[in-house]
């Protein structure tokens, strides 16, 4: 008996042992062939066609932006630089808006066909086709006509589209591959053509996607590496472990405390830089928001009672160092033209109390105190108790809320947490206007400011705050039609100054983006725009 | 027996239909799958309309359910909502991965647990017995995600200390797994940690069950009769005690297995294994009822089948149980 | 007695429990002659089953142990022989029938399988077919109808009486020299009991085995036994042939047992139980274990201080032993009382 029942046990041990001894005896760390870089990412593309609805994800663009390369893209300094184009698109005429673009002589598709102006026109026709489930037609539907001649294309607009230069820098699509195809079914699981540094090789769904060097890419220096493998690891902790153990060499983590580990590790380099995403707290002006919020002094009290510098320090201190507070709703701290109009509202707890008391509010503390429990009530608007909504399950947001709540409680303003799942928060709550304060992130690009009107103009498509300032609206609407960048900058800053007085939204800080690279790989440089951190993959090398 | 099976299957079909309607309704009303789209700037109106028409999103729930049933039966469960991609190929892929993982984990767990349970029962109150009891309690009390993470951390620490990657800590295979046998070995290598994690809780449960069952049997009168007949102790244990003690465990394993085929979400998430559990969670997160329903149908069918298998096996093993 | 087939001498069996050491059997000695039926009677807990089980090596050790004693079977001491030799004998030359045939048979194996197993274990050269043939023969012998068909049925498909018949068949499969029947009819109803008695008789005719009949049913003893051993609190208190035990009991316990029987030939208003409770085997009463319940002890000191030895109270032609200090006082008591008994 004893022998019989031990036999299976021995058998099992043998199996397990063979699994350990066999492969472990021959394997080193998991880097495969030389000339390969493994890029760890947290989300797998749903499919490879980034233009379709349900896509448009950063995860997809990491891969596809170097397969369907752009005419021009934003480099690491957020400047638009030509890639496939000979130079940035040129303005020919303003009425009607007409511009011209020309592709480089050495810009070819991976099968040898040259990239021509017709390929730009193909892109336009594909996007405006109503049968195609394209995510966004904005800008493309404003194009009247595209005339092509060889490598040149001349684009004539129906009406003024301010971000035209960015639009015309978009990727050309291969006419010979796209014509006659149903774009909805094209390039879902593979793509056999490329205009960029690499071309698609294979995709093992759920595990990894492999791209290999495109030797025909001459518009920029040809890629040095043989291969880049995108490995998809969904669990945050597992990603960090994988990076540590060498199962991957490059990663773009979200802001997580584990990053601090890597800052102290000499085998790794952590790059952190401010991106185009910024955290902010919107204030509800509509009928379903708290009546108090319609009073300017209340809003002033709120922003004066929040120590935004302390928050960003608490959140990102160990992983990104000190981040500057954001004091503009339109420009980012590192951008040309950034004017910190909101810095007029310096953090001052005593001032909050004096503002409120000055307007006749009662019931609150006389002095700011950490243990305070008395909440102000103000004439005609009631008790200063506001619902504070944000996404649930986000450690940093929870921490942010706690700090704000504590800061405001000390001066007699109460915040009630209303955390919700992202789907409900953004799908139902935000558009309905049934909230008081809502904190979230706008993910933007360098050209987003041109359409600030969407968010802040009276009746703007994304104006969920129901905020309305006629003067600011006029300025922002005009910006969207203005083609002169300098003029735009002035108008936007004027609008920002007005909003700094109104305080429709409290800008918090620009969210830092991170890139960790194993020092065995040289070249990766973080790019704050949606061009993605693989923008310069053609110069990467590995030991 | 045949009548019994047919009757059970008929009842199960009713349960399946009811479950499918309820789940469809819950998923549909729990959130708008187009929510994210609607607040994203610059999303094309026409495209959103296309989707609404294609998936009948403006119709009431029962109509949408009917459309789903049609799609499921005639079009292999249909396509996903936003990206209009066929569901079945993805589902088969994740099903196979989960099957691999769960099958190996279960088989190993059973082998080890039976050995431990039998030996513990025969050597009751010995050091082995007590230590196995402790191990069982620890195993049952340990949260799966914690154990998984600890194993990953341990492997990484070993790597940092020695430069050796003893086990990979994520995904189903390495960057270049090779072909044929080399691919199989690579896959096995990647499944070692997840299998260990899955095994721990199961071994704990099964070995307790086996031990209890074995103890009951070993002290029974018919085992005494077998000894009185002059049988060698090993024969008494294996032919008379062990076989009888195994019966309740077989039922438990069969029932458990059916549920496991629906995926083991936590393990799959921590190790990034492309399996059924993860598929379900992701589908649910997008509020897209079609993949959720497809997953549900397969999982429910598996559970029903294995429930039936458990009952039939029990009837086969124990002649006192008869189904009419 | 001619050479006894089984000699038990000074057998002591103890069990370690949480509450203390249980002395289940103390200093028990008796012989079994070939072909005779020896009845062992006593209450539950008297040690009658344990003495037999321990001799066959069927008590779990631990917690049980046999600190002293001999059990000689055909010249070999069962208590000291190797376990493989003991296994050879068990089920072969010495076979046992148990009390509850429902739980004593493996529910998932067929009756035929279990009987054939007994045959095959002790006759390794036998083919499966031959074993099956013999099994059917045995079932017919013990009176199972349609044996050819029923041999493939499971225990739960047999009635209580049939199951016991099957157990008997299993026990006699290898022509045992000693057949131990531990409460063979206790779990059966009365009409079936009578049938089983017939089966046991048939079994004995067939095998000429000596039967050790362990029971608390005095009626069964009266019908089957040649000699009787009376046990109380782990000791033998009386030993004689069956007539003597019933007609001239010479131990207060035996007398108490006889008095408590229901009788067809007497008009009784109430049955007469033996007063008191069976003694604790962890801390038995000092001296004679029966003294707290004894009618004739009358508080005499010796009953409380000395364990009465088992000594002869009969003549050589009719051996009669009793373990009572005052056995003589009981001589006429039994005879007078049992006058009308047959």
């Amino acid at each position: 008996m004893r022998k019989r029942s031990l036999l299976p046990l021995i058998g099992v041990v043998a199996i397990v042992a063979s699994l350990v001894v066999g492969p472990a005896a021959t394997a080193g760390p998991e880097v495969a062939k030389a000339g390969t870089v493994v890029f760890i990412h947290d989300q797998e593309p749903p499919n490879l066609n980034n233009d379709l609805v349900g896509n448009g994800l950063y995860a997809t663009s990491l891969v596809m932006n170097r397969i369907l390369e752009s005419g021009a893209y934003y480099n690491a300094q957020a400047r638009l630089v030509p890639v496939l184009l000979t130079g940035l698109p040129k303005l020919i005429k303003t009425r009607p808006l007409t511009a011209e673009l020309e592709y480089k002589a050495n810009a070819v598709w991976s099968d040898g066909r040259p990239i021509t102006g017709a390929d730009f026109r193909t892109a336009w026709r594909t996007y405006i086709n109503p049968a195609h489930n394209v995510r966004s037609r904005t800008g493309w539907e404003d194009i009247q006509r595209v005339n092509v001649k060889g490598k040149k294309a001349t684009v004539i607009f129906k009406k003024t589209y301010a971000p035209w230069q960015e639009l015309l820098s978009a990727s050309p699509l291969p006419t010979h591959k796209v014509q006659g195809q149903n774009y909805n079914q094209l390039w879902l699981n593979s793509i056999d053509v490329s205009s960029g540094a690499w071309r698609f090789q294979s995709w093992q769904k759920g595990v990894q996607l492999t791209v290999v060097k495109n030797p025909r890419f001459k518009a920029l220096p040809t890629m040095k590496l043989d291969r880049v493998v995108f490995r998809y690891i969904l669990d945050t902790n597992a990603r960090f472990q994988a990076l540590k153990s060498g199962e991957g060499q490059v990663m773009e983590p979200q802001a997580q405390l584990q990053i601090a580990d890597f800052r102290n590790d000499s085998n790794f380099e952590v790059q952190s830089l401010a991106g185009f995403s910024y955290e902010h707290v919107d204030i509800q002006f509509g009928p379903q928001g708290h009546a108090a919020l319609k009073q300017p002094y209340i809003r002033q009290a709120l922003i004066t009672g929040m120590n935004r510098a302390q928050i960003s320090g608490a959140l990102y201190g160990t992983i990104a160092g000190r981040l500057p507070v954001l004091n503009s709703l339109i420009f980012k701290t590192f951008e040309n033209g950034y004017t910190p109009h909101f810095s007029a509202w310096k953090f001052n707890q005593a001032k909050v109390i004096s503002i409120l008391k000055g307007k006749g509010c009662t019931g609150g503390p006389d002095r700011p105190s950490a243990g305070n429990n008395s909440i102000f009530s103000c004439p005609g608007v009631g008790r200063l108790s506001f619902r504070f909504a944000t996404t649930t399950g986000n450690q940093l947001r929870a921490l942010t809320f706690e700090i704000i709540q504590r800061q405001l409680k000390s001066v007699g303003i109460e915040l009630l947490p209303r955390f919700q799942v992202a789907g409900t928060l953004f799908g139902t709550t935000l558009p309905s206007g049934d909230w008081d304060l809502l904190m979230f992130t706008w993910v933007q690009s360098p050209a987003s400011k041109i359409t600030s009107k969407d968010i802040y103009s009276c009746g703007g498509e994304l104006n969920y705050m129901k905020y309305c300032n006629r003067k600011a609206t006029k300025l922002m609407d005009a910006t969207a039609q203005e083609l002169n960048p300098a003029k735009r900058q002035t108008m936007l800053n004027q609008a920002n100054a007005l909003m700094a007085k109104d305080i429709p939204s409290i800008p918090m800080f620009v969210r830092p983006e991170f890139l960790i690279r194993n020092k065995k790989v040289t070249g990766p440089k973080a790019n704050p725009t949606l061009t993605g951190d693989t923008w310069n993959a053609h110069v990467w090398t590995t030991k | 027996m045949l009548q019994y099976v047919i009757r059970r299957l008929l009842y199960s079909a009713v349960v399946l239909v009811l479950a499918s309607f309820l789940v469809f309704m819950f998923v549909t009303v729990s959130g708008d799958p187009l929510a994210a789209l609607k607040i994203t700037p610059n999303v094309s109106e026409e495209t959103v309309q296309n989707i609404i028409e294609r998936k009948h999103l403006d119709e009431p729930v029962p109509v949408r359910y009917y459309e789903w049933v049609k799609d499921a039966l005639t079009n292999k469960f249909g396509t996903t909502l936003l990206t209009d991609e066929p569901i079945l190929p993805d589902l088969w892929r994740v099903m196979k991965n989960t099957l691999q993982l769960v099958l190996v984990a279960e088989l190993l767990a059973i082998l080890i647990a039976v050995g431990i349970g039998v030996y513990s029962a025969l050597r009751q109150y010995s050091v082995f017995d007590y230590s196995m009891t402790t191990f069982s309690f620890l195993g049952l009390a340990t949260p799966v995600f914690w154990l998984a993470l600890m194993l990953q951390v341990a492997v990484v620490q070993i790597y940092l200390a020695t430069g050796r990657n003893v086990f990979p800590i994520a995904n189903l295979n390495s960057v270049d797994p090779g072909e044929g046998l080399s691919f199989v070995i690579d896959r096995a290598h990647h499944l070692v940690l997840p299998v260990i994690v899955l095994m721990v809780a199961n071994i704990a449960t099964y070995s307790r069950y086996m031990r209890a069952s074995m103890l009951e049997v070993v002290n029974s009168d018919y085992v005494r009769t077998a000894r009185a007949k002059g049988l060698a102790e090993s024969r008494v244990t294996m032919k008379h005690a062990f076989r009888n003690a195994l019966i309740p465990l077989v039922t438990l394993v069969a029932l458990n297995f059916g549920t496991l085929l629906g995926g083991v979400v936590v393990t799959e998430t921590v190790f990034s294994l492309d399996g059924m559990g993860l598929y379900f969670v992701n589908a649910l997160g997008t509020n897209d009822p079609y993949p959720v329903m497809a997953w549900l149908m397969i999982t429910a069918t598996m559970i029903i089948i294995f429930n039936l298998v458990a009952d039939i096996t029990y009837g086969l093993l124990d002649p006192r149980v008869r189904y009419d | 007695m001619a050479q006894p087939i089984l000699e038990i001498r000074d057998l002591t069996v103890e069990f370690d429990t949480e509450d203390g050491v249980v002395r289940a059997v103390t200093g028990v000695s008796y012989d079994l002659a070939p072909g005779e039926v020896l009845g062992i009677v006593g209450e539950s807990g008297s040690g009658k089953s344990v003495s037999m089980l321990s001799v066959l090596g069927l008590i779990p050790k631990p917690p049980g142990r046999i600190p002293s004693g001999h059990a000689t079977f055909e010249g070999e001491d069962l208590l000291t022989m190797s376990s493989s030799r003991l296994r050879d004998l068990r089920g072969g030359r010495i076979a046992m029938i148990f009390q509850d045939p429902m739980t004593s048979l493996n529910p998932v194996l067929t009756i035929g399988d279990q009987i054939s197993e007994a045959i095959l274990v002790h006759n390794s050269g036998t083919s499966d077919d031959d074993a099956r043939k013999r099994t059917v023969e045995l079932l017919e012998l013990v009176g199972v109808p349609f044996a050819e068909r029923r041999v493939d049925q499971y225990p739960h498909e047999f009635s209580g009486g049939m199951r016991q018949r099957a157990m008997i068949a299993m026990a006699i499969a290898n022509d045992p020299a000693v057949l131990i029947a531990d409460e063979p009819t206790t779990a059966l109803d009365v009409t079936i009991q009578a049938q089983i008695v017939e089966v046991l008789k048939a079994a004995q005719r067939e095998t000429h085995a000596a039967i050790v009949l362990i029971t608390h049913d005095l009626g069964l003893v009266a019908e089957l036994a040649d000699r009787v051993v009376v046990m109380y609190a782990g000791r033998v208190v009386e030993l004689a042939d069956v007539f003597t035990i019933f007609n001239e009991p010479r131990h207060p316990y035996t007398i108490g047992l006889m008095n408590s029987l229901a009788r067809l030939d007497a008009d009784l208003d109430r049955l007469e139980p033996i007063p008191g409770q069976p003694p604790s085997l962890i801390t038995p009463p000092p001296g004679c274990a029966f003294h707290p319940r004894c009618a004739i002890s009358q508080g005499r000191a010796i009953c409380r201080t000395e364990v009465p030895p088992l000594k002869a109270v009969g003549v050589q032609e009719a051996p009669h032993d009793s373990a009572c200090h005052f056995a003589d006082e009981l001589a006429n008591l039994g005879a007078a009382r049992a006058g009308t008994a047959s």
Side-chain angles (χ1 to χ4, degrees), chain C residues 57 81 96 152 168:
Chain C
M81 63 171 55
M96 195 152 175
D152 290 321
I168 294 172

Side-chain angles (χ1 to χ4, degrees), chain B residues 70-249:
Chain B
K70 244 190 359 187
D71 246 344
L73 294 177
T74 60
N75 193 16
K76 303 187 231 175
F77 289 120
T79 59
T80 59
L81 195 135
L82 288 181
T83 55
D84 202 23
E85 281 181 61
I87 291 175
L88 210 53
D90 282 334
L91 207 53
W92 276 142
R93 188 188 81 234
V94 298
M95 176 84 171
K96 280 188 287 193
N97 292 335
T98 295
L99 201 62
Q100 260 179 359
L101 173 65
V102 158
L103 208 59
V104 172
E106 273 296 275
L107 280 175
L108 284 178
I110 293 169
L111 282 176
I112 298 178
V114 163
I116 291 177
V118 168
Y119 203 71
S120 291
L122 293 171
R123 293 279 170 277
Q124 200 183 10
Y125 307 134
S126 64
V127 169
F128 180 84
D129 186 24
Y130 281 129
S131 47
M132 282 302 123
T133 305
T134 313
F135 165 75
S136 292
F137 288 141
L138 285 177
L140 284 170
T142 307
V144 170
F145 62 85
W146 180 84
L147 181 63
L149 180 62
M150 285 301 115
L151 286 176
Q152 286 178 325
V153 168
V155 165
V156 170
Q157 291 306 310
I158 295 177
Y159 167 74
L160 292 176
T162 66
R164 266 214 164 296
N165 261 40
V166 285
F167 292 115
I169 59 162
N171 292 110
L172 289 171
N173 44 252
S174 42
V175 172
D176 291 305
E179 303 276 314
L181 186 65
S182 148
F183 183 84
V184 170
I185 293 180
D186 185 64
R187 174 63 58 95
H189 207 208
H190 275 79
L191 287 182
V192 168
L193 290 185
V195 161
I196 291 178
V197 167
L198 280 182
M199 266 185 0
V200 165
N202 277 346
I203 289 179
T205 315
Y206 294 158
S207 68
R208 296 309 295 167
Y209 235 88
M210 189 69 217
R211 177 182 181 276
S213 185
M214 193 71 183
L215 278 176
E216 202 185 297
V217 163
V218 138
N219 292 323
S220 64
D221 286 346
Y222 56 84
V223 166
R224 183 184 54 182
T225 306
R227 283 206 192 97
K229 282 196 284 199
L231 294 179
E233 196 59 27
S234 62
R235 188 92 191 262
V236 172
T237 313
M238 292 315 282
K239 183 168 175 194
H240 290 267
F242 180 61
R243 268 167 55 160
N244 289 47
L246 210 48
I247 296 176
L249 190 69

Side-chain angles (χ1 to χ4, degrees), chain A residues 1-2 20 27 32 47 133-138 204-205 208 227 231-235 241 247 426, chain B residues 39 42 44 47 50 85 93 119 122-123 156 164 167 169 171 173 175-176 190 234 269-270 272 274:
Chain A
M1 167 285 302
R2 244 167 298 167
V20 175
N47 59 59
N133 292 331
V134 170
R135 259 184 74 254
S136 172
R137 295 184 165 85
T138 311
Q204 188 187 6
K205 290 218 182 180
Q208 62 196 17
R227 217 169 39 149
R231 251 167 109 72
Y232 300 110
I233 301 179
L234 299 91
D235 180 67
Q241 300 298 325
E247 280 183 38
F426 297 127
Chain B
I39 64 138
N42 303 327
S44 164
T47 303
N50 276 358
E85 281 181 61
R93 188 188 81 234
Y119 203 71
L122 293 171
R123 293 279 170 277
V156 170
R164 266 214 164 296
F167 292 115
I169 59 162
N171 292 110
N173 44 252
V175 172
D176 291 305
H190 275 79
S234 62
T269 305
V270 176
S272 278
D274 185 33

Side-chain angles (χ1 to χ4, degrees), chain C residues 249-317:
Chain C
R250 292 279 281 271
H251 189 282
Y253 177 61
T254 319
I255 295 172
L257 281 181
M258 296 305 157
N259 284 345
S260 65
L261 281 178
R263 303 183 60 122
L264 274 175
D265 57 349
D267 211 353
L268 298 169
D269 285 331
R270 318 165 63 105
L271 294 175
E272 269 182 60
I274 304 175
Q277 298 292 323
S280 155
L281 293 173
I282 296 176
T283 49
C288 170
F290 188 64
H291 85 258
R293 308 166 77 184
C294 183
I296 66 165
S297 163
Q298 289 155 10
R300 284 176 272 196
I302 194 175
C303 295
R304 275 178 284 132
T305 53
E306 273 181 48
V307 176
L310 189 67
K311 57 182 195 294
V313 298
V315 297
Q316 196 182 14
E317 303 80 38

Side-chain angles (χ1 to χ4, degrees), chain A residues 304-360:
Chain A
T304 310
M306 278 170 42
N307 187 344
R308 293 173 285 150
Q310 181 190 38
I311 296 171
S312 85
L315 261 45
Y316 301 112
T318 50
I319 53 180
R322 211 130 248 284
L323 288 179
V325 172
L326 182 63
N327 279 315
S328 164
L329 285 176
I330 298 181
F331 289 88
K332 309 294 165 288
T333 52
F334 52 86
E335 281 189 291
N336 223 340
Y338 172 67
T339 314
H341 293 107
F342 279 81
S343 61
W345 306 108
K346 288 212 189 345
F347 172 63
N348 188 331
Q349 288 185 313
K351 191 149 177 240
V352 175
I353 298 182
S354 70
I355 293 177
L356 292 174
K357 284 207 166 153
K359 290 289 179 178

